[in-house]
Amino acid sequence: MTTFSRRAFGLAVGGLVAASMFGAATRASATEDLSKVVLRVGDQTGATRAKLEAAGLLKDVPYQIQWSVYPAAVNLHEALKADAADIGSAADSPTVSAIAGGSKIKVVANFSNGGLGSSLIVPAGSSIKSIGDLKGKTISPTTRGSVAHYLVLGVLKKAGLTPSDVKLAFLTPTDASAAFQAGSIDAWGTWGVYLARTVGSLKATELIDGVGINTGNGILSATDSALADPRKVAAIADFADRVERGYQWSRENKNAYIDFYAKFTKQDKDTVESLYPSEAAYQRTPVDDALAASLQNVFETWKEAGVLTGSLNLSEYVYRGLPTD
């Protein structure tokens, strides 16, 4: 497919997308002004919107964005499956779980930081000093099928343990946070804002991060119904570009990012700065065969763990036609 700038909207973009994807019969509808498009964006914890606003990247959007906020990826993917949102970002683990669960979505963009950003943490002063000490302990991987669940499975395997060697307590992020504070779980697999707040407020210790276990892939998914509309495809392409520029802003404006994220998470700047490398490492990667193979590996890992069953060809869920610069 011919590629072109995501910033070139209006008649030209609409016509090109329509002609290449849907034929001349739909060209007329594709050429409508993008100001009539409402893109429904699912946002985990509201972090994406907050960062894009801090970076000044929501000032010139040529379409309307309808935001909805969800506490975790599982909730976001429920919204996508119910067609209550058009697009949303989540790690590859819950994305694959959602697809296996029948969600009619496609992977349209990916951003990776190599596995940073998710960690297994223990309380300050915990007797757990190494991953081998996890045997017999109660661990919350947060929600089943989440990136933290994937991390916990990988950590146990790395320690020569199996899930039967520990007690897994699947909890929502909020409930897991409360359980961690109350001392009713010994370790917690978590990410993002929850990680920042717990390390900052409770001085929790990172036992191990996701590097070498998790891919660090942050998948932007879109519903099949949204991708059937060439005008929304153009809007999705623009939104993905803004997300990419948001990561660029973080890399080029460390102090501004730390100021923003400290305020957003209500944590001190020293805590946020310690987590900054996971944000600064994000880069956009191609949506190609390599990504499809990585997603397939996630699926096979879930099957091995008994989380998912059956067969699935993830290559069929990788949308390669999103316009890029």
Side-chain angles (χ1 to χ4, degrees):
M1 173 181 175
T2 301
T3 59
F4 49 90
S5 172
R6 275 169 286 197
R7 300 178 182 87
F9 286 97
L11 298 178
V13 168
L16 284 171
V17 173
S20 61
M21 295 177 58
F22 302 95
T26 61
R27 185 176 292 126
S29 64
T31 58
E32 293 184 28
D33 192 331
L34 285 185
S35 64
K36 299 178 182 179
V37 173
V38 177
L39 186 64
R40 300 173 301 163
V41 180
D43 188 6
Q44 282 195 66
T45 72
T48 298
R49 180 180 185 177
K51 186 178 77 172
L52 293 181
E53 286 179 340
L57 292 170
L58 294 179
K59 295 179 179 179
D60 59 346
V61 180
Y63 47 89
Q64 302 173 59
I65 298 179
Q66 184 182 95
W67 297 93
S68 52
V69 179
Y70 304 95
V74 63
N75 311 101
L76 185 151
H77 273 292
E78 286 171 354
L80 289 172
K81 187 175 183 179
D83 200 27
D86 296 317
I87 61 173
S89 294
D92 50 6
S93 296
T95 300
V96 168
S97 296
I99 291 172
S103 186
K104 298 183 184 301
I105 56 174
K106 297 289 188 299
V107 173
V108 297
N110 183 56
F111 304 86
S112 180
N113 69 357
L116 293 169
S118 57
S119 296
L120 186 63
I121 59 176
V122 296
S126 172
S127 62
I128 300 172
K129 305 300 182 184
S130 70
I131 57 177
D133 295 335
L134 293 169
K135 186 172 183 178
K137 304 299 184 181
T138 300
I139 306 170
S140 177
T142 314
T143 50
R144 188 182 299 273
S146 68
V147 64
H149 186 191
Y150 194 92
L151 172 63
V152 169
L153 292 176
V155 169
L156 293 176
K157 190 172 185 178
K158 188 180 182 74
L161 302 174
T162 68
S164 62
D165 290 319
V166 300
K167 180 181 179 181
L168 297 181
F170 293 103
L171 301 166
T172 67
T174 302
D175 289 342
S177 177
F180 190 85
Q181 292 183 59
S184 56
I185 57 176
D186 300 302
W188 179 21
T190 187
W191 62 86
V193 64
Y194 305 109
L195 176 62
R197 288 172 177 167
T198 309
V199 170
S201 299
L202 302 180
K203 307 306 177 186
T205 299
E206 267 189 311
L207 188 66
I208 188 172
D209 63 26
V211 177
I213 299 174
N214 288 0
T215 63
N217 287 337
I219 303 290
L220 180 64
S221 300
T223 64
D224 288 353
S225 58
L227 292 173
D229 183 343
R231 294 161 300 178
K232 281 200 174 182
V233 170
I236 291 167
D238 174 77
F239 185 83
D241 177 68
R242 290 171 194 273
V243 171
E244 182 176 10
R245 285 188 281 153
Y247 285 122
Q248 182 180 356
W249 173 79
S250 297
R251 289 192 299 272
E252 296 176 355
N253 300 275
K254 179 179 177 179
N255 290 336
Y257 172 80
I258 289 173
D259 286 343
F260 144 70
Y261 204 55
K263 183 178 180 180
F264 179 74
T265 60
K266 298 180 174 60
Q267 299 303 317
D268 62 83
K269 292 182 181 180
D270 287 342
T271 297
V272 171
E273 185 168 8
S274 71
L275 300 171
Y276 174 74
S278 67
E279 168 74 14
Y282 273 106
Q283 298 283 347
R284 190 169 187 175
T285 67
V287 177
D288 56 10
D289 290 344
L291 178 59
S294 178
L295 295 171
Q296 193 69 42
N297 184 64
V298 171
F299 175 71
E300 300 304 330
T301 299
W302 283 139
K303 281 184 63 176
E304 182 183 348
V307 175
L308 299 176
T309 60
S311 60
L312 194 63
N313 181 6
L314 270 303
S315 182
E316 297 175 358
Y317 297 88
V318 173
Y319 181 88
R320 304 162 198 261
L322 199 69
T324 57
D325 286 336

